[in-house]
Amino acid sequence: MPARWYALRYHPEQRRLWTEGRRFAVVPAGRRSGKTELAKRRLVVTLSEKKQWADPRYFAAAPTRGQAKRIFWNDIKLLTPPWWVRRVYETDMCISTVFGSEIWVVGLDKPQRIEGTPWDGGVLDEYADMKARAWSENIRPALSDRGGWCWFIGVPQGLNHFRDIVNYAQESGDCEWGLYTWSSSDILPREELEAARRVLDPRTYRQEYEASFEGATGRVYYAYSASVHEAGSIRLNPDLPIALCCDFNVDPCVWEAAQTDGRSVWVLDEIAMRNTNTREMAREALKRFGAHRPGVTVYGDAAGMSRSTAGSSDYAILHEMGLKNQRVRRSNPHVKDRVNAVNSMLMNSMDEPRLFHHPRCVEIRKDLETVEWRANGVDMDKSDPMRTHASDALGYFLEYEFPLRIHASRAGLKFYK
Ligand SMILES: Nc1ncnc2c1ncn2[C@@H]1O[C@H](COP(=O)(O)OP(=O)(O)O)[C@@H](O)[C@H]1O
Ligand SMILES: [Mg+2]
């Protein structure tokens, strides 16, 4: 091989990435920790692989064409053995090989560059900086024809689409996917890490050098952390009633199903639908929990009392459909009271968590992780139409059953009998 193939000592996580051969590999790892180097080598090695078709095609992609060129082009030329090369197309940044394969260096500032032709595989570098929908809309379809593979590599950038795809690789159980993560300290010399520590605030350091997905500051549910509050072991307890926490939005509409023993709360399931209505949501809830013997209790926004869909209030609809046990305040608590109830269930002052959710409840996790206060510090930022429905719904339940105000007035409660 050419001299550019200097020897590297792979650490175990890198070796796992190299040898496991998962179709989709998600690699959040620290700065300068060998992500791109490994990807370049993988791409070049792949060029000699035999396929059923004459022209296997691979891409090395970065968020922009300029970045792609800077990151990949020279090194890929240096790593490719000259006797493999049929032709180098400088302006297109493409190498065709004597095996018939091609490698293209592309910028996803125009994701259409990927579309239209089938690909056998490729790498998306600095994935956190790419357009959130590039994968599902432009890239994934182009990998279907040939069962193409893809690596998603980069440093985290807050709780965005990179985080989502990391979660998918981790939680879905989809065996086509693998998650590989390591920190810069596995590769970089100590002096360099210490130099970085001296100039970066702790949050930025964790993100850049430890591949940590850091939430934005000003988070509403600051006490939440997936590593503490997400529990795959949560199961439906056949002896406890279900609290059905309802939100009456239309698109999306998100309800949470929880149980409590009076001390802890376990959120075990979630119903999330687009463009729906109270009746359709309730049908789904009844399908899942209608036979639960200890029963189902409805909680939610007091606004659902007055607001009506097709003439009846949301709670009247639920009542009519058999969800008769309802615990809803006549008027809503203050937002801060509701939020404090949630946060104190997440972590009390003795550092004990009492609220947990199953990983399948993805909307509640996204809310708890990402919802922020607006600059006025009083209202929640609701600019993303997908957010706050799940956490609002859960908050009404928690505020009702675990209020922080000691003298919560029972007079404000309304029951449907
Ligand atoms: N085990 C290793 N794996 C990958 N690269 C390594 C390793 N050890 C040292 N290196 C060097 O570290 C550098 C990592 O750079 P790069 O792959 O561009 O980092 P990243 O893309 O993670 O920011 C490369 O120059 C590479 O030669
Ligand atoms: Mg890199």
Side-chain angles (χ1 to χ4, degrees):
M1 290 307 248
R4 179 62 182 72
W5 283 83
Y6 50 80
L8 289 176
R9 270 216 320 271
Y10 291 164
H11 62 75
E13 194 70 355
Q14 288 181 320
R15 181 163 302 115
R16 204 165 66 80
L17 166 63
W18 189 267
T19 55
E20 260 185 6
R22 296 287 173 110
R23 182 171 177 203
F24 301 119
V26 185
V27 188
R31 278 271 161 243
R32 307 204 38 222
S33 72
K35 306 179 291 296
T36 306
E37 179 67 22
L38 227 63
K40 289 169 185 162
R41 292 181 180 218
R42 165 75 201 255
L43 282 165
V44 170
V45 165
T46 306
L47 290 174
S48 66
E49 270 173 22
K50 269 248 163 306
K51 291 272 173 172
Q52 288 147 272
W53 33 87
D55 60 339
R57 310 168 71 249
Y58 303 92
F59 59 81
T64 66
R65 189 179 149 84
Q67 263 175 303
K69 181 168 189 179
R70 245 185 348 267
I71 295 172
F72 287 112
W73 186 227
N74 262 331
D75 275 341
I76 284 182
K77 282 190 285 185
L78 291 171
L79 284 163
T80 310
W83 55 94
W84 287 14
V85 175
R86 188 161 61 198
R87 198 158 160 202
V88 177
Y89 301 87
E90 276 293 335
T91 42
D92 288 332
M93 294 196 286
C94 166
I95 299 173
S96 71
T97 72
V98 297
F99 311 106
S101 58
E102 293 172 354
I103 178 151
W104 292 76
V105 172
V106 296
L108 288 189
D109 32 359
K110 297 210 172 67
Q112 310 84 279
R113 291 200 173 105
I114 290 267
E115 280 175 349
T117 36
W119 296 91
D120 292 79
V123 170
L124 303 173
D125 201 352
E126 305 298 353
Y127 181 66
D129 295 331
M130 288 181 178
K131 296 193 176 96
R133 302 211 303 241
W135 166 246
S136 57
E137 291 181 1
N138 309 106
I139 304 158
R140 182 68 185 81
L143 294 170
S144 295
D145 287 5
R146 296 182 167 188
W149 56 269
C150 189
W151 281 13
F152 307 77
I153 69 181
V155 169
Q157 182 67 258
L159 305 171
N160 67 1
H161 56 282
F162 195 15
R163 168 68 196 243
D164 293 342
I165 215 160
V166 164
N167 276 331
Y168 183 80
Q170 192 168 28
E171 306 289 356
S172 66
D174 184 339
C175 58
E176 283 194 319
W177 290 74
L179 175 65
Y180 309 87
T181 182
W182 58 84
S183 75
S184 302
S185 59
D186 295 332
I187 301 283
L188 282 180
R190 245 182 74 177
E191 312 82 73
E192 205 163 328
L193 294 168
E194 272 160 21
R197 255 187 230 280
R198 279 195 294 274
V199 292
L200 300 174
D201 69 84
R203 212 175 136 268
T204 310
Y205 181 86
R206 287 196 301 273
Q207 172 171 294
E208 299 291 317
Y209 288 84
E210 294 172 351
S212 157
F213 287 87
E214 297 286 328
T217 52
R219 276 174 59 206
V220 170
Y221 302 105
Y222 59 86
Y224 176 81
S225 154
S227 60
V228 174
H229 299 105
E230 195 171 69
S233 58
I234 294 175
R235 298 282 177 277
L236 179 72
N237 182 330
D239 302 322
L240 293 174
I242 288 171
L244 189 60
C245 314
C246 304
D247 158 61
F248 300 107
N249 199 49
V250 171
D251 187 26
C253 188
V254 187
W255 291 5
E256 302 293 324
Q259 291 187 301
T260 179
D261 60 0
R263 184 184 177 277
S264 299
V265 169
W266 300 276
V267 182
L268 52 105
D269 205 357
E270 186 175 78
I271 302 172
M273 292 191 195
R274 304 294 305 258
N275 255 312
T276 184
N277 57 56
T278 304
R279 243 174 248 286
E280 195 183 16
M281 291 293 289
R283 263 197 297 275
E284 179 60 28
L286 288 166
K287 202 170 90 195
R288 294 191 200 182
F289 308 118
H292 186 64
R293 287 200 138 266
V296 177
T297 307
V298 169
Y299 298 82
D301 188 343
M305 291 288 183
S306 47
R307 210 204 55 178
S308 65
T309 329
S312 314
S313 84
D314 294 297
Y315 291 103
I317 292 172
L318 296 181
H319 188 265
E320 172 205 312
M321 291 178 73
L323 291 163
K324 295 186 166 47
N325 195 7
Q326 306 187 349
R327 297 190 181 175
V328 183
R329 291 188 190 284
R330 196 186 301 276
S331 63
N332 279 333
H334 284 294
V335 173
K336 284 259 160 132
D337 289 336
R338 175 157 56 88
V339 166
N340 288 341
V342 177
N343 274 323
S344 64
M345 286 302 287
L346 287 168
M347 201 62 85
N348 65 15
S349 49
M350 284 139 84
D351 275 354
E352 294 162 340
R354 291 177 294 164
L355 170 61
F356 307 90
H357 73 85
H358 193 277
R360 74 169 73 94
C361 307
V362 293
E363 297 301 327
I364 191 68
R365 184 186 61 215
K366 276 198 195 180
D367 273 7
L368 296 174
E369 278 184 331
T370 63
V371 173
E372 292 194 56
W373 294 111
R374 283 195 2 217
N376 68 14
V378 178
D379 302 310
M380 281 183 218
D381 181 353
K382 302 215 172 199
S383 55
D384 178 350
M386 294 302 289
R387 295 278 61 84
T388 80
H389 309 295
S391 52
D392 288 353
L394 183 65
Y396 289 119
F397 159 59
L398 294 176
E399 199 283 330
Y400 193 104
E401 295 296 346
F402 302 89
L404 294 181
R405 284 161 301 133
I406 313 293
H407 305 292
S409 154
R410 304 299 287 179
L413 310 181
K414 176 169 177 179
F415 296 84
Y416 267 101
K417 292 275 156 31

